[in-house]
Amino acid sequence: MNVSINNSWKELLKEEFDKDYFKNLTQFIKEDIQNYKIYPPGKLIFNAFDKCPFEQVKVVLLGQDPYHGPGQANGLSFSVNDDIPFPPSLRNIFKEIKNDIGKEPPQSGNLERWAEQGVLLLNATLTVRANDAGSHQKKGWETFTDKVIQVVSEQKENVVFILWGSYAQKKGAVIDTSKHLVLKSPHPSPLSAKRGFFGNNHFSKANEYLKSKNLPEIDW
């Protein structure tokens, strides 16, 4: 199956695209597009991979679902398009960055600037119906993104995996902790941020690790 995705990832994941689960997933999405508004737009479904080629990956920040409101989702976990108000989780992420490293929140919640520095902003599920959270879960995306995590873990070294919340932490079970740094805390959503997300210092910890491996730090 010919999937429009960055060539470095295409080579690594090509076997997935020919598996039955991925063909079924593709068929499901094609049918859903006929009946519903789907986010993000088709050309942005693999945006996380296009903005962060495999050879550039230094950090993996794992999310769950794309945002399901109008104009929000841009294919990058936790990120929204320019001129879109910050969703609560993203607002809390910027709050923690300020507390951790003293950096003021940006004007835009578009996290492309992170992706272009080597942060793979990976959602477990890459599509969703408008106004219907979780509507594309358990259709095959999770199998695909599990493979992505496995490939990064196996074929790279010294990557920082940031896992917020129990869902992300379960999904990160395949990561080889002997050659990567895994940072875990509660999720930044308002329901759990005060239970340990605030004060996790993950942004400075990630940079300290990268620096210790003689890798460029991320300008959060």
Side-chain angles (χ1 to χ4, degrees), residues 95-189:
K95 233 183 246 184
E96 174 57 21
I97 289 173
K98 183 165 193 286
N99 292 338
D100 183 11
I101 58 176
K103 187 167 185 178
E104 293 294 335
Q107 295 297 307
S108 171
N110 191 333
L111 302 180
E112 276 186 14
R113 60 189 180 276
W114 292 2
E116 289 165 355
Q117 296 177 75
V119 183
L120 180 65
L121 294 160
L122 181 66
N123 275 319
T125 305
L126 300 190
T127 53
V128 68
R129 288 177 194 160
N131 307 311
D132 191 359
S135 47
H136 283 190
Q137 289 179 4
K138 300 182 181 171
K139 303 295 183 184
W141 277 131
E142 294 91 343
T143 304
F144 175 71
T145 51
D146 281 349
K147 182 65 176 181
V148 172
I149 295 166
Q150 183 186 338
V151 164
V152 173
S153 176
E154 289 177 355
Q155 300 203 23
K156 293 188 78 77
E157 292 183 356
N158 305 327
V159 172
V160 181
F161 289 85
I162 299 178
L163 309 178
W164 294 329
S166 58
Y167 180 88
Q169 287 161 25
K170 284 175 193 158
K171 200 167 174 69
V174 298
I175 299 164
D176 182 351
T177 55
S178 71
K179 61 173 183 168
H180 302 292
L181 176 66
V182 178
L183 298 174
K184 300 178 183 179
S185 84
H187 195 274
S189 82

Side-chain angles (χ1 to χ4, degrees), residues 1-210:
M1 182 181 292
N2 187 27
V3 175
S4 180
I5 190 173
N6 175 275
N7 285 334
S8 65
W9 290 103
K10 193 169 196 173
E11 189 59 30
L12 289 163
L13 299 168
K14 59 188 176 186
E15 290 180 7
E16 298 303 298
F17 301 136
D18 289 323
K19 289 180 178 176
D20 285 344
Y21 86 85
F22 199 90
K23 291 175 181 175
N24 293 338
L25 169 64
T26 303
Q27 188 59 35
F28 165 77
I29 292 170
K30 281 178 179 173
E31 290 173 5
D32 237 33
I33 285 171
Q34 305 301 317
N35 301 303
Y36 304 94
K37 181 82 172 168
I38 303 299
Y39 296 131
K43 64 181 181 180
L44 294 178
I45 289 173
F46 294 105
N47 197 28
F49 304 92
D50 295 335
K51 289 286 187 294
C52 185
F54 178 76
E55 59 274 9
Q56 293 178 21
V57 175
K58 295 186 290 187
V59 177
V60 177
L61 178 51
L62 194 58
Q64 190 163 355
D65 259 16
Y67 296 120
H68 53 83
Q72 289 182 309
N74 61 9
L76 308 175
S77 62
F78 296 104
S79 173
V80 290
N81 287 310
D82 295 329
D83 303 320
I84 296 289
F86 300 165
S89 289
L90 184 57
R91 200 178 307 124
N92 285 340
I93 288 169
F94 289 144
K95 233 183 246 184
E96 174 57 21
I97 289 173
K98 183 165 193 286
N99 292 338
D100 183 11
I101 58 176
K103 187 167 185 178
E104 293 294 335
Q107 295 297 307
S108 171
N110 191 333
L111 302 180
E112 276 186 14
R113 60 189 180 276
W114 292 2
E116 289 165 355
Q117 296 177 75
V119 183
L120 180 65
L121 294 160
L122 181 66
N123 275 319
T125 305
L126 300 190
T127 53
V128 68
R129 288 177 194 160
N131 307 311
D132 191 359
S135 47
H136 283 190
Q137 289 179 4
K138 300 182 181 171
K139 303 295 183 184
W141 277 131
E142 294 91 343
T143 304
F144 175 71
T145 51
D146 281 349
K147 182 65 176 181
V148 172
I149 295 166
Q150 183 186 338
V151 164
V152 173
S153 176
E154 289 177 355
Q155 300 203 23
K156 293 188 78 77
E157 292 183 356
N158 305 327
V159 172
V160 181
F161 289 85
I162 299 178
L163 309 178
W164 294 329
S166 58
Y167 180 88
Q169 287 161 25
K170 284 175 193 158
K171 200 167 174 69
V174 298
I175 299 164
D176 182 351
T177 55
S178 71
K179 61 173 183 168
H180 302 292
L181 176 66
V182 178
L183 298 174
K184 300 178 183 179
S185 84
H187 195 274
S189 82
L191 296 172
S192 55
K194 290 179 180 173
R195 297 206 303 265
F197 173 76
F198 290 132
N200 66 23
N201 298 326
H202 280 180
F203 303 97
S204 60
K205 285 176 180 174
N207 277 348
E208 284 164 11
Y209 179 81
L210 293 171

